[in-house]
Amino acid sequence: QVQLVESGGGLVQPGGSLRLSCAGSGSIFSSNTMAWFRQAPGKQRELVARISVDGSTYYVDSVKGRFTISRGNAKNTIYLQMNSLKPEDTAAYYCNVPVSTTTARYTWGQGTQVTVSS
């Protein structure tokens, strides 16, 4: 059973930064494209960034230039560096193996809450 554990969220002022971490069991990280999703209250979960096995990345337009997804030196970790945060980035953030821009392969972890507010 694959377990995904997200951490690093918190309350930050607009313009601030956070670094999210995702750790998982098994070897799924090294052999799959990994992604960060987010879900704001009342909205559908959406993919915001993904990283392929070869290191190529994709970002949704709303975070392009502000967020950076990366793989950790440990084979079962990924990160999301978030800079210049905006109130509209407020959401619960999740990592997983993406199936589509709204769905993923494995059971969702508990997520980590990011709140951007002054």
Side-chain angles (χ1 to χ4, degrees):
Q1 183 178 357
V2 172
Q3 290 186 317
L4 298 164
V5 179
E6 301 90 352
S7 62
L11 173 64
V12 63
Q13 292 186 341
S17 299
L18 284 173
R19 189 192 195 206
L20 306 184
S21 300
C22 171
S25 59
S27 61
I28 65 167
F29 284 66
S30 59
S31 57
N32 287 283
T33 292
M34 296 298 301
W36 283 96
F37 296 76
R38 68 184 179 189
Q39 186 170 22
K43 295 189 176 181
Q44 189 175 29
R45 197 170 327 209
E46 62 169 352
L47 184 151
V48 296
R50 67 171 184 252
I51 184 166
S52 301
V53 173
D54 66 2
S56 58
T57 56
Y58 161 84
Y59 301 93
V60 68
D61 284 348
S62 60
V63 308
K64 201 172 294 183
R66 300 187 298 120
F67 289 12
T68 303
I69 187 172
S70 61
R71 293 182 180 270
N73 290 330
K75 293 183 178 180
N76 61 342
T77 56
I78 61 169
Y79 302 101
L80 186 67
Q81 177 67 43
M82 306 188 297
N83 298 327
S84 301
L85 282 161
K86 304 176 180 181
E88 51 264 44
D89 295 319
T90 295
Y93 284 73
Y94 305 83
C95 64
N96 213 313
V97 175
V99 172
S100 71
T101 58
T102 58
T103 60
R105 183 180 300 176
Y106 298 107
T107 300
W108 296 102
Q110 84 286 353
T112 186
Q113 178 67 37
V114 172
T115 303
V116 184
S117 175
S118 55

